[in-house]
Amino acid sequence: EKGQQYEMAMLLFEVSQQKELVPDVIIYTAAISACDKKGQWEKALSLMKDMQMQEVAPNAITYRAAISACERAGQRAAGASLKSEAVGLGTLLP
């Protein structure tokens, strides 16, 4: 089931890009959350970078999912960096 959720989230993300639509924070968050559940921390970080390039501001849920993806994969430094960024922006509390 988790594999299907990941595939569906990635498909939704790809279709929105193919239609030349800029995914919104909800679509990005769903994709990043799916990456977290599937253990795809690098893809989660890539999506976070895409958000910045598209000028889509991540919310607290987005950051929590990306941080979780990093931490589950043992990438604590990457997770800590994201948390620091989110706290600096006022998106997450310290």
Side-chain angles (χ1 to χ4, degrees):
E1 182 178 307
K2 286 183 182 180
Q4 288 178 328
Q5 290 174 350
Y6 174 78
E7 296 300 325
M8 290 298 294
M10 291 299 109
L11 180 63
L12 175 62
F13 184 79
E14 290 171 16
V15 167
S16 69
Q17 288 185 319
Q18 289 171 359
K19 299 283 186 187
E20 297 184 11
L21 302 172
V22 176
D24 62 11
V25 69
I26 295 168
I27 292 174
Y28 273 110
T29 300
I32 292 169
S33 180
C35 290
D36 173 27
K37 290 176 178 66
K38 188 72 172 171
Q40 299 291 324
W41 69 275
E42 292 170 316
K43 181 66 175 175
L45 291 181
S46 175
L47 290 168
M48 291 292 288
K49 288 180 185 174
D50 285 350
M51 288 182 81
Q52 289 177 340
M53 291 183 350
Q54 296 294 333
E55 298 180 354
V56 177
N59 61 26
I61 298 167
T62 313
Y63 273 110
R64 284 190 196 109
I67 291 165
S68 177
C70 292
E71 289 178 349
R72 284 182 200 239
Q75 302 297 319
R76 301 209 186 283
S81 177
L82 283 172
K83 184 173 183 182
S84 178
E85 178 183 314
V87 169
L89 293 170
T91 305
L92 291 177
L93 297 174

